[in-house]
Amino acid sequence: MTRPTNLNLALLFTFLTTAALAQPDRWQQRVEYTMDIDMDVSAHQFKGKQKLVYYNNSPDTLTKVFYHLYFNAFQPGSSMDVRSRTIADPDRRVMDRIYHLKDDQIGYQKINGLKQDGKVLSYAVEGTVLEVNLAKPILPKSKVTFDMEFEAQVPLQIRRSGWANKEGVEYSMAQWYPKMAEYDYEGWHADPYVGREFYAPWGDFNVNITIDSAYMIGGSGYLQNPEQIGKGYAKPGTTIKRPKGGKLTWQFKAQNVHDFMWAADPDYLHDVAQVPGGPALHFFYQGDTLVENWKELQGIAVKAFDFLNKNFGKYPYDKFAVVQGGDGGMEYPMSTLITGHRSVRSLVGVTVHEALHSWYQGVLGTNESLYPWMDEGFTDYATQITMHYLFDGPSGGNYINPLEGSYRSYFSLAQSGLEEPMSTHSDHYNTNRAYGSAAYSKGAVSQHQLSYVIGHETFMRGLRRYFDTWKMKHPNMNDYIRIQEKNSGLELDWYYEYFVNSTKTIDYGIKSVEEQGEQTNVTLERIEKMPMPIELYLEYADGSKELFYIPLDLMRGVKEHDDPSIPRTILTDWPWTHPYYTFSIPKKPKDIRYMEIDPTQRMADTDRTNQSYPWRSAVEAEGEVVNK
Ligand SMILES: [Zn+2]
């Protein structure tokens, strides 16, 4: 063997880094939509032409395809209507409102013709799903072109989409076009729409919207003809050349997105704020009394995006639009619809949350029906970390758990008897509460708690590595676990088996503290079923501090130390089978001022009354502060 030259070393290095960062080879279907929409604002209807180039990148031959027709949900007797009228705790925005829609208020998408490469196709409409029999099978690694003519009526706004939202925004146009369902390694995902999740292939959208020239449009994509539109889109000083006639055609293009949202209102104001090294942020809001709040939002949103890019991976588009509309906050590629009558903090909170969906819903695109917690939970976790950074600042020595609200909500769910495993399909939870608390709160807790299990820095590095490795690939739960396992060098399958696939809970306590000669024997107890690695914080009478770390045998290793300012002593593993664990401290009990399991409170321990010694309330009364 020859001594490597510099060139060989460089090649070797390239090989090693390439191997370490190898991208998963999961195939993805691809779509290229071109749509021409002619909007009749007096009837809330539009006519559309859609050309869809569909790439079958799967190893399978397809004989059918499915489109979603989401507007059909807004008709009396639809699956969404009946689901809302029969579930124990309906969404207050929906209730029985669909049932009472009149003919000119319902939504629909009617297909007037569909061709595959010029051949007329037969199809059937089943509620919100269009089932299409292909004229010719689509072979693996081939593409076809579908040409569709359709017409639609925009529903009176009930949920997310529609005309006349409660703040008077005229059009919130989400899920407004016949949309190809996703086909992935698990097959077709043409779930009937009951008001929950969206899952679709990535691709390019060319959307031309012709509408009364009084309207301003905001939403996904980049406007291609700003010199004809103006309205805050053209560079300052541009001479606007409007075509003649009462309507304007807005030409938008969006690339590598899985959806396209737009909203329109004659009263929108339009501001743009640039994130240095990041996207241009566009704000569309009505010029009523809350202008000051929306102006203040803009500077904070710039700061927030900078934080998101550094901590969660780089936002891959050059634009993000915050658009007043919808019925709360809902994420779309390159944009969000939010209600606007809010305090500054609430505006920032919803904007940050919906923007963060660009990471977990827009770019990673997990199948939210199967893994709602990997979208809402991750988003909520990152939102609260970001809000903590934006508003709370240094905590002055007092430990603040930024996720405290999520923990409370999860504990409440766990005690309610309504909890179902987070592995439940989104549409099929028994109650909205079980879905919401699991997907958002327990989902967020699952991640903050994971930072306890593997260490905060390791966890954050893993979250970014997950984003970089799996973007545009629809990762599933195992894909994420494997990233965090490789990243931390620890085994984590047990963590998800308990916390995601079951409703088992965590409760650890200090069972006994006994003097034995010159030492103290401490016995800890696992009271509930889910095992965890344990951190036990101690303060001694002389003021010194120590952290005892008890690894869990299932993890086959030790996490990094989160806070090197406190010396850490690593004890022997606690086998998951053993309810008790005893160890000795070479000091007498009188020399121990305080001890507490899980001082950072990231472990979702359902009963914290048994976790400290002496009991916590007595220590707090003396004004002691657990420092971390
Ligand atoms: Zn969300």
Side-chain angles (χ1 to χ4, degrees):
M1 192 175 158
T2 54
R3 186 172 175 270
T5 63
N6 282 346
L7 179 65
N8 285 342
L9 276 174
L11 280 173
L12 183 66
F13 181 74
T14 308
F15 170 75
L16 288 174
T17 48
T18 311
L21 299 172
Q23 294 292 303
D25 57 358
R26 191 165 298 158
W27 50 266
Q28 301 294 323
Q29 305 298 68
R30 179 175 169 78
V31 288
E32 286 167 7
Y33 288 96
T34 302
M35 291 189 272
D36 294 301
I37 305 304
D38 191 3
M39 190 84 184
D40 173 359
V41 294
S42 62
H44 306 304
Q45 293 173 349
F46 62 92
K47 288 194 162 52
K49 282 198 174 79
Q50 182 191 80
K51 180 188 284 295
L52 170 57
V53 182
Y54 184 71
Y55 294 76
N56 178 16
N57 294 325
S58 81
D60 307 324
T61 298
L62 304 179
T63 55
K64 278 186 165 197
V65 298
F66 300 90
Y67 289 75
H68 296 281
L69 304 174
Y70 290 109
F71 276 5
N72 289 356
F74 300 96
Q75 298 171 9
S78 72
S79 295
M80 183 174 170
D81 172 38
V82 175
R83 177 72 169 153
S84 180
R85 286 187 287 119
T86 53
I87 199 166
D89 57 342
D91 186 321
R92 283 201 193 137
R93 293 166 290 202
V94 184
M95 307 292 283
D96 61 351
R97 291 179 60 209
I98 296 174
Y99 185 70
H100 294 291
L101 287 176
K102 302 195 172 66
D103 284 352
D104 59 353
Q105 296 174 327
I106 63 166
Y108 61 72
Q109 284 156 333
K110 284 185 184 156
I111 311 305
N112 295 330
L114 181 59
K115 291 178 182 167
Q116 173 190 356
D117 292 332
K119 291 200 184 67
V120 174
L121 293 176
S122 68
Y123 52 83
V125 175
E126 294 284 343
T128 57
V129 178
L130 176 70
E131 304 174 350
V132 180
N133 298 306
L134 296 176
K136 217 176 140 197
I138 312 175
L139 299 177
K141 313 278 183 269
S142 71
K143 65 173 180 177
V144 294
T145 301
F146 294 107
D147 283 290
M148 180 189 280
E149 307 230 353
F150 70 103
E151 58 184 79
Q153 178 164 290
V154 184
L156 173 67
Q157 180 144 8
I158 302 255
R159 186 81 181 90
R160 294 173 175 152
S161 285
W163 52 271
N165 90 337
K166 67 173 184 187
E167 296 178 348
V169 171
E170 288 216 16
Y171 289 107
S172 302
M173 298 292 284
Q175 316 302 341
W176 53 274
Y177 58 96
K179 182 178 174 186
M180 181 61 76
E182 182 60 299
Y183 183 83
D184 67 13
Y185 67 103
E186 293 172 300
W188 283 105
H189 298 276
D191 296 332
Y193 184 56
V194 292
R196 272 219 176 111
E197 318 292 350
F198 306 102
Y199 183 52
W202 281 282
D204 296 346
F205 287 71
N206 290 291
V207 181
N208 305 315
I209 303 161
T210 301
I211 191 170
D212 186 316
S213 61
Y215 284 73
M216 167 83 83
I217 295 181
S220 308
Y222 308 107
L223 185 66
Q224 301 297 300
N225 57 337
E227 72 291 342
Q228 292 182 333
I229 301 292
K231 300 192 187 242
Y233 279 97
K235 289 202 182 82
T238 309
T239 311
I240 307 302
K241 294 182 194 128
R242 288 256 170 89
K244 288 205 172 71
K247 284 187 168 182
L248 273 176
T249 299
W250 302 59
Q251 299 165 9
F252 288 99
K253 195 187 264 290
Q255 282 152 321
N256 293 318
V257 293
H258 56 53
D259 200 2
F260 187 98
M261 180 281 287
W262 59 283
D265 193 280
D267 304 321
Y268 274 151
L269 303 179
H270 177 195
D271 296 331
V272 183
Q274 183 66 43
V275 179
L281 305 182
H282 291 246
F283 298 85
F284 298 89
Y285 55 103
Q286 292 178 320
D288 57 17
T289 53
L290 295 159
V291 169
E292 279 166 29
N293 290 3
W294 276 78
K295 294 278 183 203
E296 201 175 333
L297 164 68
Q298 295 169 22
I300 304 173
V302 167
K303 193 176 164 197
F305 254 88
D306 190 49
F307 182 81
L308 305 188
N309 275 332
K310 287 187 176 122
N311 285 278
F312 303 109
K314 182 117 177 52
Y315 179 77
Y317 308 105
D318 294 329
K319 175 191 170 185
F320 184 78
V322 183
V323 187
Q324 186 182 4
D327 59 358
M330 185 62 195
E331 68 275 13
Y332 304 98
M334 304 173 69
S335 62
T336 176
L337 281 175
I338 65 170
T339 48
H341 295 181
R342 295 166 181 267
S343 67
V344 171
R345 187 169 173 137
S346 172
L347 272 180
V348 173
V350 70
T351 299
V352 167
H353 178 99
E354 305 311 335
L356 270 162
H357 273 302
S358 297
W359 277 252
Y360 301 105
Q361 192 255 3
V363 172
L364 285 162
T366 46
N367 180 345
E368 294 174 69
S369 294
L370 299 180
Y371 313 105
W373 60 279
M374 291 179 70
D375 176 32
E376 292 302 347
F378 284 41
T379 296
D380 225 26
Y381 166 77
T383 300
Q384 291 176 69
I385 296 294
T386 306
M387 291 297 282
H388 185 62
Y389 159 77
L390 290 173
F391 287 97
D392 299 338
S395 54
N398 284 307
Y399 176 67
I400 296 171
N401 181 350
L403 276 287
E404 204 189 328
S406 300
Y407 281 74
R408 270 203 308 271
S409 164
Y410 159 59
F411 293 149
S412 160
L413 173 71
Q415 283 155 12
S416 70
L418 296 173
E419 189 183 3
E420 297 169 64
M422 285 204 288
S423 53
T424 306
H425 187 292
S426 300
D427 292 344
H428 299 277
Y429 275 89
N430 293 330
T431 60
N432 277 317
R433 180 179 175 198
Y435 158 78
S437 298
Y440 289 76
S441 304
K442 193 181 181 186
V445 166
S446 75
Q447 296 312 295
H448 199 46
Q449 180 172 257
L450 185 60
S451 80
Y452 164 82
V453 173
I454 65 175
H456 180 71
E457 290 302 321
T458 306
F459 167 77
M460 290 299 293
R461 207 167 51 235
L463 209 53
R464 287 189 292 273
R465 184 167 158 187
Y466 169 57
F467 180 77
D468 288 334
T469 306
W470 281 101
K471 55 186 162 197
M472 313 270 172
K473 292 193 166 60
H474 295 317
N476 61 35
M477 177 173 83
N478 189 59
D479 298 325
Y480 177 63
I481 298 172
R482 292 295 296 130
I483 290 278
Q484 289 290 22
E485 283 191 335
K486 290 182 215 172
N487 178 51
S488 64
L490 298 167
E491 295 294 315
L492 296 170
D493 43 346
W494 62 276
Y495 181 70
Y496 290 91
E497 278 155 20
Y498 275 89
F499 211 62
V500 176
N501 294 339
S502 91
T503 57
K504 291 173 182 168
T505 56
I506 302 164
D507 183 18
Y508 279 86
I510 298 172
K511 179 149 181 70
S512 64
V513 178
E514 287 165 349
E515 184 167 322
Q516 188 186 44
E518 292 303 303
Q519 64 181 33
T520 303
N521 292 339
V522 177
T523 297
L524 306 180
E525 181 180 13
R526 175 177 55 73
I527 299 156
E528 287 298 341
K529 292 291 182 281
M530 179 164 171
M532 288 290 279
I534 294 299
E535 278 185 342
L536 184 69
Y537 170 81
L538 274 98
E539 273 176 29
Y540 299 112
D542 64 5
S544 60
K545 298 162 184 175
E546 186 172 11
L547 193 74
F548 286 91
Y549 176 66
I550 309 171
L552 175 66
D553 64 338
L554 298 173
M555 287 173 65
R556 309 261 72 97
V558 170
K559 75 159 174 171
E560 69 170 41
H561 189 14
D562 272 329
D563 182 2
S565 71
I566 302 173
R568 179 172 79 160
T569 302
I570 298 168
L571 302 175
T572 56
D573 286 8
W574 186 338
W576 74 269
T577 47
H578 292 29
Y580 302 105
Y581 184 97
T582 302
F583 70 101
S584 309
I585 299 167
K587 288 182 191 277
K588 292 187 169 226
K590 70 174 172 59
D591 296 324
I592 298 171
R593 182 158 48 171
Y594 179 67
M595 76 175 89
E596 182 183 15
I597 293 172
D598 178 27
T600 59
Q601 301 179 19
R602 284 177 291 173
M603 191 164 83
D605 192 303
T606 51
D607 177 10
R608 289 195 72 88
T609 61
N610 51 17
Q611 245 157 305
S612 50
Y613 167 90
W615 51 91
R616 194 177 175 81
S617 54
V619 176
E620 279 170 352
E622 284 173 33
E624 294 285 337
V625 165
V626 179
N627 185 19
K628 166 69 188 90

